[in-house]
Every structure is written in C-alpha cells, then in structure tokens.
C-alpha cells in the first residue's frame, strides 16, 4: 500500500484548493495508486503524485494524463489550471504589497466565481457562480443604505481593477511564451542547426529545427530530434507497427500523441497515419515536457532524454540513468546526433562531464 498523502487545507490558497480537487477526482475514480496511474500514462508515479501535492501547479501534459487516467475531462481541468494560475498571481501580489496573503485567496476566488478570471476561462465553480448572494439581495432584502451603496461601488471598482490586472497577466504570459520561441526559433539558415551534408530529408528539416528549438532547454537540439527520428523510423513517415501500436516518423502511440498535439486537436485520440510534420513538432513538445523530470539523473542528459522518450521517465529515474536494454538505442542516437550536428561546432551551453552534443569544447 502506498504512503498516505500529506493533508491539504483547500482554504489555504488557490494552489491547495486545486490540489484538493485533484485528490477528490482520484478518490471518485476509486483511489487508484500512483503506480497504477503511472502504468496508465507515460509519467512516473512521483510526477503524478506531485501533480496533486499542492507544492506547484502541474504542467498541461502531466495534468491531462492524471485527469484522463482518473476518468476526468482534460479540457475542463486545463481551464481550471489556467484560472488557478491567474489566482496565484493575485495571491502572490497581495503577499508582496496590496493586502494580506490570507485575504488574497478569497479575493481571487471571488474574481473567478464572478466571471472575472479572464476572457475565455470557464469559472471553476458550480451553478450560480457570479451571482451576488450576500446581504441586500433577493426578495425581501432590506433597502441599501448610503454606507452599503458606497461599499458596493468600491467592490465594483476593485473587481474591474482585478479584471484588468488578470488580463494583463495573461498577455504577459502569452508574450513570454512567444519570446521564448523567437529567442531560439528556427534560423533562416538551417545549416546553423543541422549539417547540410547529412542524410536528413530536406522536406523535414524546417520542422526538425522548430521542434528542437521550441523551448529553452539546452540538451534539446535539432540534431537530437533528427537523430531520434533516424533511430525510431529511419525518417519513414509511413511506418506502421500494429504490434507495438506505434506509427509514423516518430513512432507515436496514438493515446500518447494526443497530449502533444496542438490544444485544438486534443479532444480525441488521433488515428494513423500521422502527418510527418505534426509528429515531429509533437516530439519537440514531449521532449520539453520530459526534460525537467530528468534533472539530477546520472549520466548524459541528452541520452537520458532520448531513453525516456523510448520508454518512460520513471524507468530512467528508477535506473538513475539509461537502462541496459536501451543502451543500443541511445548509442545509435548518439552516433546519428554527432553526424547531424552543425558544421559550426558550438560549445555545449551547459556544464557536464558527459555530453553528446554538439562536440567537446576546445
């Protein structure tokens, strides 16, 4: 039997409330163990447990896996996650200046309940959200006096200010995401990222560069993406392995691919054949999601990432490195990666005694 989770008071803040609701979802599904949830998803039991720990907000991909494995609606919970992120900003802002941290969760919850969370975010409350059910409303309510009217006006002014601040927060978040893409985005000269003399098919090079530069994680590179595609399928977009349920250029399993497609395509499990370019971009998204889970694992972080893609993060975590059965695969990835690295052998942008890419610095 697994260890009991630490108790969480949902009244202590938006993050605790979100984690408490996730735990309730798991209880409603029969309280499956995190080991069982790990078997149903592509994530480690420790990663799924952290999702409902209340220590931090989970990523979209981890949340979707957790919720789906518990029979929930991944789209609904993603909206809740975004609303909670906005509430957290309001909570932290109150802790720094404009109020007390104890009062901030209440104010943030009121803003979301009244529909002020942000345009396009579904309120995380039940029927009746947004209606004023306090004193002075409803049939037979006492007349509103001057003091009460003044309080009401102040509340409305504060709510408008909250709505404006939350809209700004979402704009900043979107800008940060866009700036990350621009910061490491595809170069106009693909030779800056991949050796032009290599056997990487020309039609896929742009997508490979985009996939390898979509997040600021130093061990993820276009050369790594290309090397993994070579090892997975030899760049064959028509690969069809029904025994392993793996298809296409990146050997995607349909139920896993679903969560690394664009958000507007995640409403159903995709059916092969898969578009080669979309499969490549999905590989980049998955590598970006897996990399933080492998921090602290011994060995080459580049090849650890490739091994996690081929199996699962919890397997690499448990072995504290690459499992023996996957070493032929990672050796092949490394061999291709060194061939695909750009001719301008730039130094690796992070310190490590064991590195595969792009080459030892002089």
């Amino acid at each position: 039997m697994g260890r009991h989770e630490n108790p969480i008071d949902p009244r202590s803040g938006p993050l605790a409330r979100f984690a408490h609701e996730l735990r309730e979802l798991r209880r409603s599904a029969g309280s499956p163990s995190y080991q069982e949830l790990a078997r149903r998803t592509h994530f480690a039991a420790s990663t799924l447990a952290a999702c409902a720990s209340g220590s931090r907000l989970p990523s979209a991909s981890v949340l979707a896996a957790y919720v789906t494995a518990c029979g929930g609606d991944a789209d609904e919970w993603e909206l809740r996650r975004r609303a909670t992120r906005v509430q957290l900003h309001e909570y932290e802002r109150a802790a720094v200046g404009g109020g007390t941290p104890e009062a901030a969760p209440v104010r943030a919850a009121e803003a979301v309940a009244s529909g002020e969370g942000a345009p396009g975010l579904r309120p995380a409350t039940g029927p009746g959200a947004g209606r004023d059910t306090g004193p002075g409303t409803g049939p037979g309510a006492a007349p509103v006096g001057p003091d009460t009217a003044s309080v009401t006006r102040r509340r409305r002014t504060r709510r408008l200010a909250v709505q404006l601040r939350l809209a700004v927060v979402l704009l900043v978040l979107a800008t940060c995401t866009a700036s990350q893409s621009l910061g490491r985005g595809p170069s106009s000269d693909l030779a800056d990222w991949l050796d032009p003399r290599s056997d990487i098919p020309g039609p896929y090079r742009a997508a490979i560069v985009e996939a390898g530069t979509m997040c600021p994680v130093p061990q993820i590179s276009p050369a790594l993406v290309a090397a993994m595609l070579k090892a997975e399928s030899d760049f064959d977009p028509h690969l069809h392995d029904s025994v392993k349920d793996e298809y296409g250029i990146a050997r995607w399993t349909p139920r896993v691919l679903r969560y690394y497609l664009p958000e507007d395509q995640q409403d159903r499990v995709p059916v092969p054949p898969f578009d080669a370019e979309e499969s490549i971009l999905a590989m980049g998204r998955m590598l970006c999601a897996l990399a933080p889970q492998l921090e602290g694992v011994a060995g080459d972080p580049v090849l650890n990432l490739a091994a996690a893609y081929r199996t699962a993060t919890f397997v690499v975590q448990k072995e504290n490195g690459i499992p023996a059965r996957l070493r032929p695969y990672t050796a092949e990835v490394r061999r291709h990666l060194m061939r695909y690295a750009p001719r301008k052998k730039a130094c690796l942008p992070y310190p490590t005694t064991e590195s595969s890419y792009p080459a030892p610095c002089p």
Side-chain angles (χ1 to χ4, degrees), residues 15 28 30 34 37 45 56 64 85 120 145 169 173 215 247 252 262 285 289 297 351:
L15 192 55
S28 70
Y34 284 110
L37 292 182
R56 63 179 182 272
R85 182 173 58 184
V169 171
L173 289 170
C215 63
Y247 308 92
W252 276 110
R285 296 184 194 104
V297 175

Side-chain angles (χ1 to χ4, degrees), residues 59-222:
S59 68
S61 57
V62 174
L63 176 66
Y66 183 109
V67 168
T68 303
C70 292
D73 185 330
D75 292 336
E76 177 186 348
W77 278 90
E78 172 58 15
L79 290 173
R80 290 193 190 190
R81 187 183 75 89
R82 295 182 189 180
T84 301
R85 182 173 58 184
V86 172
Q87 294 173 41
L88 282 171
H89 170 77
E90 186 67 14
Y91 182 84
E92 291 166 1
R93 182 182 178 280
V96 172
T100 62
E102 291 78 9
V106 177
R107 292 202 305 272
E110 287 177 349
V112 173
S114 59
E116 295 174 355
L121 296 187
R122 185 183 307 164
T125 55
R131 290 193 296 228
D132 188 355
T133 55
T137 62
V144 179
D147 292 341
T148 305
S150 177
V151 170
T152 300
R153 283 195 300 272
R154 286 199 300 271
R155 285 180 177 173
R156 287 176 179 171
T157 301
R158 186 172 67 243
R159 286 180 176 177
L160 287 173
V162 168
Q163 186 174 7
L164 178 60
R165 286 198 301 270
L166 296 179
V168 171
V169 171
L170 290 181
L171 178 61
V172 170
L173 289 170
T175 303
C176 288
T177 301
S179 65
Q180 285 182 354
S181 298
L182 292 173
R184 293 191 72 214
S187 168
S188 57
D189 184 2
L190 297 181
D192 289 345
W193 299 103
L194 300 168
D195 188 337
R197 302 168 300 177
S198 63
D199 64 344
I200 303 171
Y204 304 143
R205 285 178 177 254
I208 289 171
V209 170
E210 183 176 349
T213 58
M214 63 173 49
C215 63
V217 177
Q219 58 265 43
I220 300 175
S221 66

